[in-house]
């Protein structure tokens, strides 16, 4: 089965690519990692103006969605440019609040859609951390009695990617939604967070492969480009196959989510494990192909190298996703 984007969706991807290329995300990433969130918030606003965050917010609250295919298109581009911030978490929060309803949805969803609010999210079955809680306007957590607004970002933990800062949200906080609607919305939010992260991982892998192919064409050894060596060609071909195998799984999951299929959870898990593993394999190929220069802080590609493994493990490790696929 082939999943082909229409002209409007392809133009959406091209416009995001042009915007993010002009934004110079490596500099934004360095500022974000240093705790300077101003450039990242400015970029966030431009993405919101392009409609990115409205894709997960219901129309009743000023959004455009949920539109999972377009969301996948957007997140692949954001992954290719390594946009900092809790992108998947904010999008999932749009699904969570939209499903839970009530005053919290009325307060936060229009702000999420317009880019006026950066939101982080913690769901217990996906671990104890909330991404970039220090930069978020709100951190939502789910516990036994419902959806809570955390009172503070909590304690900073160690992260492999300095531009993906992990926090343990403070306990307690105001309960903003409860009951079966909140529970069902939390399950859906977990699936959408995993789906968005899969798209980010795919985009990250694509950029790693693109940069590596460009590098091996220029780097020479024994008087010829290293890209002409058969071992390098095979490694790059394997990396490309992994990414191309993950792409139809991602858009297949988008179709399942759009149709409200009962098999959407398993489809998302399949996309997540394939995209996450492919992105991480691309990072390993990029690091090896770049040689010693791949370890340097000055190389912009280092930000993508550091991001691939956290994206692979966030919102569903490979083993957890495989178990979900088998159960589904």
């Amino acid at each position: 089965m082939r999943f082909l984007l229409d002209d409007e969706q392809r133009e959406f991807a091209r416009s995001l690519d042009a915007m993010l290329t002009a934004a110079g995300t490596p500099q934004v990433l360095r500022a974000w990692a240093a705790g300077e969130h101003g450039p990242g918030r400015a970029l966030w606003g431009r993405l919101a103006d392009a409609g990115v965050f409205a894709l997960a917010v219901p129309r009743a609250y000023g959004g455009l969605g949920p539109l999972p295919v377009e969301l996948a298109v957007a997140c692949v581009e954001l992954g290719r440019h390594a946009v900092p911030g809790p992108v998947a978490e904010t999008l999932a929060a749009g699904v969570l609040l939209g499903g839970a309803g009530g005053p919290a949805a009325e307060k936060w969803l229009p702000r999420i859609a317009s880019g006026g609010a950066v939101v982080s999210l913690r769901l217990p079955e996906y671990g104890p951390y909330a991404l970039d809680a220090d930069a978020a306007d709100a951190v939502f957590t789910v516990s036994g009695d419902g959806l809570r607004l955390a009172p503070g970002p909590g304690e900073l933990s160690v992260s492999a990617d300095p531009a993906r800062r992990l926090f343990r949200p403070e306990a307690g906080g105001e309960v903003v939604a409860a009951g079966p609607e909140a529970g069902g919305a939390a399950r859906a939010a977990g699936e959408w967070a995993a789906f968005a992260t899969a798209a980010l991982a795919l985009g990250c892998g694509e950029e790693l492969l693109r940069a590596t192919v460009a590098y091996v064409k220029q780097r020479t050894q024994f008087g010829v480009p290293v890209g002409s060596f058969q071992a390098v060609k095979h490694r790059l071909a394997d990396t490309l196959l992994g990414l191309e195998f993950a792409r139809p799984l991602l858009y297949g999951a988008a179709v399942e989510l759009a149709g409200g299929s009962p098999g959407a959870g398993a489809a998302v898990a399949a996309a997540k494990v394939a995209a996450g593993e492919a992105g991480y394999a691309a990072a390993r190929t990029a690091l090896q192909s770049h040689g010693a220069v791949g370890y340097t802080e000055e190389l912009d590609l280092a930000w993508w190298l550091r991001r691939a493994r956290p994206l692979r493990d966030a919102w569903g490790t490979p083993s957890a996703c495989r178990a979900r696929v088998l159960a589904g």
Side-chain angles (χ1 to χ4, degrees):
M1 181 179 294
R2 299 179 67 195
F3 297 98
L4 298 178
L5 301 177
D6 61 29
D7 291 341
E8 186 174 351
Q9 290 162 341
R10 288 193 290 269
E11 180 57 34
F12 182 42
R14 285 192 291 268
S15 66
L16 289 176
D17 178 46
M19 176 198 305
L20 293 169
T21 299
T25 51
Q27 290 72 33
V28 178
L29 279 163
R30 288 184 168 88
W32 192 273
E36 301 171 9
H37 301 131
R41 292 293 295 252
L43 178 58
W44 197 278
R46 292 198 290 274
L47 290 169
D49 290 342
V52 170
F53 300 107
L55 295 172
V57 175
R59 294 180 181 274
Y61 297 97
L64 301 171
L67 295 174
V69 176
E70 286 75 10
L71 188 146
V73 170
C75 285
V76 168
E77 292 304 316
L78 269 60
R80 286 206 313 114
H81 290 274
V83 171
V87 171
E89 291 73 14
T90 297
L91 293 168
V95 174
L96 173 62
L97 292 167
E106 296 174 0
K107 176 180 179 181
W108 288 102
L109 285 177
R111 294 181 62 189
I112 289 173
S114 67
V118 175
V119 176
S120 193
L121 177 65
R122 182 189 69 83
L123 299 179
E125 60 268 36
Y126 294 98
Y129 302 113
L131 178 65
D132 292 322
D134 61 329
D137 299 295
V139 179
F140 291 101
T141 65
V142 174
S143 57
D145 57 352
L147 175 62
R148 289 178 176 269
L149 182 61
E155 179 184 357
L156 176 64
S157 185
V158 177
S159 173
D161 181 354
R164 286 177 58 87
R165 294 158 61 86
L166 301 176
F167 291 81
R168 290 179 178 266
E170 295 180 8
E174 176 190 2
V175 177
V176 296
E181 292 83 5
R187 288 189 292 274
E191 291 180 357
W192 280 75
F195 173 68
T197 304
L200 293 170
L202 179 62
C204 180
E206 288 181 349
E207 176 57 20
L208 285 162
L209 179 60
R210 183 208 63 78
T212 303
V213 170
Y215 181 76
V216 299
K217 288 180 179 179
Q218 298 174 357
R219 180 187 170 195
T220 60
Q221 194 171 11
F222 308 117
V224 297
V226 297
S228 65
F229 299 159
Q230 190 175 50
V232 175
K233 290 180 179 179
H234 286 179
R235 187 71 181 266
L236 293 171
D238 288 343
T239 301
L240 176 62
L241 284 174
L243 294 168
E244 290 302 316
F245 178 77
R247 190 185 316 280
L249 291 177
L250 177 69
Y251 286 107
V255 172
E256 297 280 350
L257 285 171
S261 167
V268 168
K272 177 63 171 59
V273 69
E277 294 281 37
Y280 183 52
R284 292 172 63 89
T285 298
L287 184 61
Q288 182 178 24
S289 300
H290 278 78
V293 72
Y295 291 94
T296 61
E297 290 282 341
E298 293 78 14
L299 185 71
D300 286 343
L301 195 69
W303 295 97
W304 281 258
L305 290 171
R306 288 169 168 168
R307 180 152 296 198
R309 184 164 183 172
L311 287 175
R312 183 195 71 172
D313 295 339
W315 296 102
T317 63
S319 59
C321 289
R322 289 188 177 98
R324 181 74 182 274
V325 172
L326 291 173

